[in-house]
Structures are given as structure tokens and as C-alpha cells.
């Protein structure tokens, strides 16, 4: 070990050793909430200026904020919570980060080592509880392990498939003196993720791709995680090959939405052309996506005729739900670089004729304009939620600031994904895997901390926003001018939509009863409240929201009964898509071929 | 395509892990959390580093599932941070599996004599005896132990303690 070569610095307290390690890891901000077990760390924070602490109002929000910070910067997000309830409150955020592969290091306080296991005040078995909620976790029982564990946690969080790592820190470990050591230059003993792809697999992939007639590139969040370079390489590869490209919800921004080779998002609420192209493809190249059930629909009908190439950094993603023909393990940027080189080096000429025919077919599907909606234009008309997003998008295009979008979970999230266009990676933050209502506001907070001059907007639902509304206080305290754009349909719209489609329009407990006055609510939290009730209010409210340099809640009253289309019902195949309300049957339901009994049990 | 071949097979998987707190919980939690079967599980330290700050344990899991599930189990185990190596012994060539059982049989008269005779045939050792009981120690493959226990049942089988399977590849191959 390095420590044996040079006598390590002994720090006055474990807390100081932790902070020194954080600084060495390049940490400049922590999202946290104090409590008894972490007081030594708060004391050490008080006595320095290098690391900024953002005091959230709930520990779940600290993790989401760190996620927003991480996803918008590519850095590791850092969280600090106390023992017991502090740690348990953080669990939802940790699982969220785990599902979406977001690098987080969460420091949690713990009762002193001699009290562990005694049901001490605010004791929880935090490493036990968070074992399935993290990529890895540690309980530090010896001061001599402290600095090494902190450095290792960052390495584990950031490398391979990124994810949350928790370090449980007993109070005595934080108080007692502890040696400090710099990050080890040696590779980890047992953890060695593979990043460079196997050249033979690259060649096998190129052989399939060169001879393809109906190819499709299906890119996911792995491209974003691999850094902006991976997105550039993706564009280069797609341009080079002339292939159509679709992305997952998590992959939005990995490929420029304005590019003609982009088919839009695929999956349950994806475009007609993306889903049908997946269904009809003869060769599919999956780059950093995981064949999620929201994407595949019914597995035995998923892209039935295609040879599948799956590139992923995580070997356990391969053949998990979909059996593939060529698996490539590695970092998405490294894989794309290798694919580009191999494509160029390969002697076989690509036959562009079938590809041109494929594009004709795709253009036909595209001409259905599956994202269309009808917005009545007479004054006094009710705002369609899709229209609100479209106008918001247009308005953000017309100003100089970089725009970052976060969302809550529900219909508004899908409309945002469908109608807001992202040309760059790291601009779109959403809870994809876990689908956590209450994610968007704290995530936006974290984004705004990382990008103080940017325009950061949480596209929200009126139900979701209430799940972490207390963070309005944090926005006020740190003067974070986050904009909350509520598509207020007075329903848990996504729940209502499923009840309409699958449960005979019995709207059980999905009405948003007794809502607060969001304008007054914003004001009471020292922000600005705006409301748009009719179509003629919309552009003005959006313009004002963007112009104000303070936190804003814009309460956009939208059509209460609008549904998200197109839709592949659970358990249906990609070519069994519902394009719009015209697919309703006589009884007003959407039953029949599209929703099977097996589909009903799926979520 | 989802799981193309639905045939279930049994797999003996050896996992070399860092011997540290919580590592067994990670492995077991992975199996329960993802709904995989555990038919048998053994764990013990097997290697100590010269610097003696680290040691390795070997976990042997006998599980069952379709080929796709077993491939998943291996991949999921392999991505745990303290895991060094994962080897599916049952898929990677010939291997040996053994377990040990301590078996208490209580009885008198002919049943007792018959138990002793059968134990001898199975090469079980008598490691404790009283006028009314024997404790046998038996080592072998799982099916041999199962067969012996079936025979002991009508002869006064009272209690069993089994170690679970330890397994290793034949020949020069190592994990
Ligand atoms: C924490 C949590 N609880 C429950 C759900 C289930 N759920 C998904 S969408 C939704 C309704 C969201 O309503 P709202 O925020 O108003 O968004 P809308 O669908 O109306 O746009 C619910 C309850 C969830 N995703 N997360
Ligand atoms: Mg709503």
C-alpha cells in the first residue's frame, strides 16, 4: 500500500480526512441535511471554503439534486445525510440513481461503532437497507480505512456503469484523528470494469451492419454517461452510415433531435416511425440502452426479424431480456470510435439502394405525424398540454442562455419528451427507470447550482410537484432561479389515462383534489407565481417566466382529459400502436386486440 | 426473443470474493432480490494474502434456471465490487462436488443394526455412539447423501446437519 512508503498525514479528525479526500476528488458542492451523527462533518465544513454546502429541505431532494448536478455536468454528485431517518429518506433517491446509472457518492452518518447493533437513537442498518439501493456501499469501522474508502467510492461511482455509492460513517470515526492518503494509483483489487471493446466483436458488428438493408441505431443513456464525446461520435457514425437513429427516454439529447436522420424517441410513447422501424429492422445496433420493458413492449414480438448487436458497459445487460447476436462490452465512446474506424477500414461497399428504400418506408411512417395534436385557436380556448410544451420550446430557442429541462413523472414527462427537442447531451434530466414523482424540482435545483447562468425548467405535473415542493425554500435561500412549469390537468393524468384505457374509466383516487393556489404558494416561498388559463395567456406567461430572474411557478391550466399518444399498451407489440383517440372502440374504451389480459398485469 | 430455450438446468457456481463484512449478504441479496434459486450455498475463507490485510473467500452456490438465467446470475455476481472471479463449474468442464453430512440416528434392536450395516456400505464413519444412537459422518456427492438419508429415514433418522456443496474443477484448471 502507498501508506507504507510514505508516512501518511494524520488529520485532526476523521471529518477533516473526509473533506480532504472530497477536495482531492474535485468536489465543489455537497447537497445535505445535518443531524447528530454528522455534526463533526458539519463542523469541519464550517471551517473551510473550498466545498459549498447546499442545505436542502428533505434528504430525498438532496439525492435528486446531486443527480441533476451529476447528469448535467458529468461529474459525481455528492450527498451528506445524518443517520437513521436521514439515511432512510435518501433511499428513494439512491434507487433512482441506481436505475438511471447516475454517479453519486452519499455520505451517511452512523451511531458510534460501539453502539452499532444496539438500537441506539437514530440507528438504522443503513448499509443493510441500501445494499440493493446502491452500486456498492461501505461501513467504515477503522479510521485507517477512511480516506481510502472515500477515494474508492468515487472510483466505483464514476467508472464502469456509473451508480450511487454510500459510505456509512460512525460518529467516532468522524471525531477521532485519522490518517489521510491520496487516491491509490493501483488498480482496484477486485473491481475492474472493461472499457475497451473486443476488436473481433467490432468486426462482427461491422459485418452485419455493412450488409444490412433495414438498419436502425437505438441509443440510450449510456451514450450520455460516456460523456459529450460519445454523442459527437454517435453523430459521426450515423452520418457515415446513413442509418436512421432513435433514442430512449434517457438517451434524448445523445443525438441531435433536429437532425433528419433522427426518428425521435421509441417505446411506449415513442414515435410511430421509431417503433415501426425497430419492428421492421433487419439489423439493430443498440448502443448503451438496456432493452427496458417500456421500450420493447411484448418481448416475443419485439423486433422479430432483426440481427441484434448490443454494446454496453455492463455485461449483465447483455442477454438479460433480449437475446442478441453480437455483444460488445465497453465504454460507448470507445466502441463508437472503434466502429467508425472499422467501418472505414472494411472493404465491403455498403449497398445504399435498399437503405434508400428503407428510408422511403420510414418517411411514409413519418408522414403519419404521430405526435400531432389539435389546439383550438379561438380566444378562450383551453390550452392543450402538448401545445404548452411546444410554445415553451420555441420560447427557449429564442434566448441566449443554455436551457436545461428536468421533469416530474406522468403525462407531462412524456409530452416534454415528445415535444421538447434536445440537440445536446446533458440537457435533459428525467427519472426514467424508477419513475420517481418529486424528482424534477430538486434535480432542477442541482442543475442550477452547477450552471448558475442557465435557464433551468422543471416541467411538472400538479400532483408530482407537491412531492418535493418544500425545495422552494432551498431555491429561495440560494437564489436559484429555477422555473417550475406545471401542466396542471387537475388529475394524476397518467394514472387517469390508464384507468380510462384499462379500468373502464373508473377514476379511482386520481383526481387532484384540494390543490393549493400555486401562485400564492410561489409567493409565500419568496418566488413569483404566474398562471395561464386560456390560450391567449400562454405566450405571455412563458415570456415572463423566462424573463424573471427568480424562482417561478407557472401554473398552466391545461385540458384535463388529454391523453398521451401514440401509445403501445403494455403487453402489445410495436406494430400494435394506438395513434390517438380515434382508436377508441364503441364503448369508449381502448380494449380489444391492443390490451391483452397479460398486458393488464404489467405496469 | 425472450428466453428461447426453457429447459432448466442445475449449475454449480464458484465465486471468489474479498473476505469482508457484508459480502455474503450481497450475494444472497442478489439471489433473493432477482428471484434466483439457491439450492445450496457454502462459504469459507480460502486464501490469505502475504501482507495479511486481505483474504479471499470462496462461495459455492448450486442454483438452477434456464441457460439465459444462469448467464444472468454469473454476470450479476461478476459485477459486485468485491467479487474477483465467477466460474460456472458445471458448464466449464468436468468438476468434482462434495458435501459432508452429520447424521443422527436413534433406535434400538434390528433397526440399529441395519443402520450400522448400511453406514458401512456407504463408507459413513461412526463419530459418536450411545446405546440408543449413532452419529454418522458421510462425505460425497449430493445424491449419495440423499440416498443414504432416504435409507436412514425408516431406521430412526432424527437429525441432519449438512455443509452444502464444495466444488472444484478437475485437472489443472483453476478458478
Ligand atoms: C412516488 C411515486 N408515486 C406514485 C407514482 C405513480 N404515478 C405515476 S404518474 C402519476 C400521476 C402524476 O400526476 P401529475 O404529477 O399530475 O402528472 P400528470 O400525469 O397529470 O401529467 C402517479 C401517481 C410514481 N410514479 N411515483
Ligand atoms: Mg396532473
Amino acid at each position: 500500500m502507498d501508506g507504507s512508503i510514505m508516512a501518511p498525514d494524520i488529520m485532526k479528525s476523521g471529518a477533516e480526512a473526509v473533506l480532504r479526500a472530497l477536495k482531492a476528488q474535485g468536489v465543489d458542492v455537497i447537497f445535505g441535511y445535518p443531524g447528530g451523527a454528522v455534526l463533526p462533518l458539519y463542523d469541519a465544513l464550517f471551517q473551510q471554503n473550498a466545498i459549498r454546502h447546499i442545505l436542502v429541505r428533505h434528504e430525498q431532494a438532496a439525492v435528486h439534486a446531486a443527480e441533476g448536478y451529476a447528469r448535467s455536468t458529468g461529474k459525481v454528485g455528492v450527498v451528506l445525510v445524518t443517520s437513521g431517518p436521514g439515511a432512510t429518506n435518501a433511499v428513494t433517491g439512491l434507487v433512482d440513481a441506481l436505475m438511471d446509472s447516475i454517479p453519486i457518492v452519499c455520505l451517511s452518518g452512523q451511531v458510534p461503532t460501539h453502539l452499532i447493533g444496539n438500537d441506539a437513537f437514530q440507528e438504522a442498518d443503513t448499509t443493510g437497507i441500501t445494499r440493493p439501493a446502491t452500486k456498492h456501499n461501505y461501513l467504515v469501522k477503522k479510521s485507517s480505512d477512511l480516506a481510502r474508502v472515500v477515494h474508492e467510492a468515487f472510483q466505483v461511482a464514476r467508472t464502469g456503469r456509473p451508480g450511487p455509492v454510500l459510505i456509512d460513517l460512525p460518529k467516532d470515526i468522524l471525531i477521532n484523528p485519522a490518517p489521510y492518503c491520496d487516491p491509490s494509483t493501483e488498480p482496484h483489487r477486485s473491481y475492474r470494469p472493461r472499457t475497451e471493446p473486443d476488436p473481433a466483436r467490432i468486426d462482427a458488428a461491422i459485418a452485419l451492419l455493412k450488409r444490412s438493408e433495414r438498419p436502425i441505431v437505438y441509443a440510450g443513456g449510456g451514450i450520455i454517461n460516456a460523456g459529450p464525446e460519445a454523442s459527437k461520435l454517435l453523430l459521426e457514425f450515423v452520418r457515415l452510415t446513413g442509418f436512421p437513429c432513435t433514442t430512449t427516454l434517457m438517451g434524448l439529447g445523445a443525438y441531435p433531435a433536429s437532425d433528419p436522420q433522427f426518428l425521435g424517441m421509441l417505446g411506449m410513447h415513442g414515435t410511430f416511425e421509431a417503433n415501426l422501424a425497430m419492428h421492421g429492422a433487419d439489423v439493430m445496433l443498440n448502443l448503451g440502452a438496456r432493452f427496458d420493458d417500456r421500450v420493447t413492449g411484448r418481448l416475443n414480438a419485439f423486433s422479430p426479424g432483426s440481427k441484434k448487436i448490443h454494446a454496453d458497459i455492463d455485461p449483465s445487460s447483455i442477454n438479460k431480456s433480449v437475446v442478441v447476436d453480437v455483444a460488445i462490452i465497453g465504454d460507448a465512446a470507445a466502441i463508437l470510435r472503434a466502429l467508425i474506424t472499422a467501418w472505414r477500414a472494411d472493404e465491403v461497399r455498403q449497398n445504399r439502394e435498399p437503405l434508400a428504400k428503407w428510408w422511403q418506408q420510414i418517411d411514409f411512417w413519418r408522414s403519419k405525424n404521430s405526435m400531432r395534436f389539435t389546439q383550438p385557436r379561438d380566444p378562450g380556448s383551453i390550452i392543450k398540454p402538448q401545445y404548452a410544451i411546444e410554445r415553451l420550446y420555441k420560447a427557449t430557442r429564442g434566448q441566449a442562455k443554455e436551457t436545461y429541462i428536468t421533469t416530474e413523472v406522468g403525462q407531462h414527462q412524456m409530452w416534454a419528451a415528445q415535444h421538447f427537442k434536445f440537440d445536446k447531451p446533458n440537457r435533459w434530466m428525467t427519472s426514467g427507470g424508477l419513475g420517481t414523482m418529486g424528482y424534477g424540482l430538486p434535480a432542477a435545483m442541482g442543475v442550477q447550482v452547477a450552471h448558475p447562468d442557465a435557464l433551468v425548467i422543471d416541467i411538472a405535473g400538479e400532483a408530482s410537484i407537491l412531492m418535493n415542493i418544500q425545495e422552494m425554500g432551498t431555491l429561495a435561500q440560494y437564489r436559484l432561479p429555477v422555473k417550475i412549469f406545471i401542466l396542471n390537468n387537475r388529475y394524476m393524468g397518467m394514472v387517469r389515462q390508464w384507468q380510462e384505457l384499462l379500468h373502464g374509466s373508473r377514476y379511482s383516487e386520481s383526481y387532484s383534489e384540494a390543490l393549493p393556489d400555486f401562485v400564492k404558494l410561489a409567493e409565500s416561498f419568496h418566488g413569483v407565481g404566474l398562471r395561464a388559463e386560456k390560450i391567449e395567456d400562454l405566450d405571455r406567461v412563458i415570456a415572463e417566466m423566462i424573463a424573471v430572474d427568480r424562482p417561478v411557478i407557472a401554473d398552466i391550466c391545461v385540458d384535463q382529459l388529454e391523453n398521451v399518444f401514440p401509445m403501445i399498451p403494455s403487453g402489445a407489440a410495436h406494430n400494435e400502436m394506438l395513434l390517438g383517440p380515434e382508436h377508441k372502440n364503441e364503448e369508449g374504451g381502448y380494449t380489444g386486440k391492443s390490451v391483452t389480459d397479460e398486458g393488464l398485469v404489467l405496469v | 426473443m425472450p428466453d428461447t430455450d426453457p429447459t432448466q438446468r442445475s449449475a454449480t457456481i464458484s465465486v471468489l470474493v474479498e473476505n469482508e463484512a457484508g459480502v455474503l449478504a450481497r450475494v444472497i441479496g442478489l439471489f433473493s432480490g432477482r428471484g434466483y434459486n439457491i439450492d445450496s450455498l457454502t462459504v469459507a475463507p480460502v486464501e490469505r494474502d502475504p501482507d495479511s490485510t486481505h483474504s479471499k473467500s470462496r462461495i459455492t452456490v448450486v442454483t438452477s434456471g434456464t441457460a439465459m438465467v444462469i448467464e444472468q446470475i454469473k454476470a450479476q455476481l461478476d459485477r459486485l465490487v468485491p467479487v474477483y472471479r465467477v466460474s460456472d463449474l458445471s458448464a466449464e468442464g468436468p468438476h468434482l462436488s462434495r458435501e459432508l453430512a452429520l447424521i443422527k440416528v436413534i433406535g434400538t434392536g434390528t433397526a440399529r443394526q441395519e443402520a450400522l450395516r448400511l453406514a458401512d456400505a456407504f463408507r459413513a464413519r461412526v463419530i459418536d455412539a450411545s446405546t440408543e444412537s449413532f452419529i454418522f459422518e458421510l462425505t460425497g456427492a449430493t445424491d449419495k447423501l440423499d440416498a443414504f438419508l432416504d435409507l436412514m429415514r425408516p431406521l430412526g433418522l432424527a437429525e441432519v446437519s449438512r455443509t452444502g456443496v464444495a466444488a472444484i474443477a478437475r485437472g489443472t484448471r483453476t478458478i
Side-chain angles (χ1 to χ4, degrees), chain A residues 411-412 461-463 487-493 512:
Chain A
Q411 291 182 316
H412 62 276
E462 83 294 337
L487 296 184
N488 186 346
N489 53 9
R490 302 197 149 257
Y491 273 103
M492 297 172 195
S512 286

Side-chain angles (χ1 to χ4, degrees), chain A residues 12-85:
Chain A
K12 213 167 71 233
S13 70
E16 289 194 6
V18 170
L19 287 192
R20 184 161 165 197
L22 294 182
K23 278 175 221 164
Q25 291 293 337
V27 174
D28 53 9
V29 61
I30 295 180
F31 301 90
Y33 206 94
V38 285
L39 284 181
L41 262 171
Y42 274 85
D43 203 35
L45 274 170
F46 189 82
Q47 300 177 45
Q48 56 84 53
N49 288 316
I51 298 178
R52 189 176 176 210
H53 179 274
I54 303 287
L55 176 67
V56 297
R57 285 359 184 213
H58 187 292
E59 289 88 350
Q60 181 193 350
V63 188
H64 293 324
E67 287 185 271
Y69 177 91
R71 193 132 181 105
S72 67
T73 59
K75 296 201 262 181
V76 178
V78 183
V79 177
L80 170 56
V81 298
T82 194
S83 66

Side-chain angles (χ1 to χ4, degrees), chain A residues 428-443:
Chain A
W428 162 251
M429 269 58 52
T430 197
S431 171
L434 196 62
T436 312
M437 291 170 70
Y439 167 88
L441 170 52

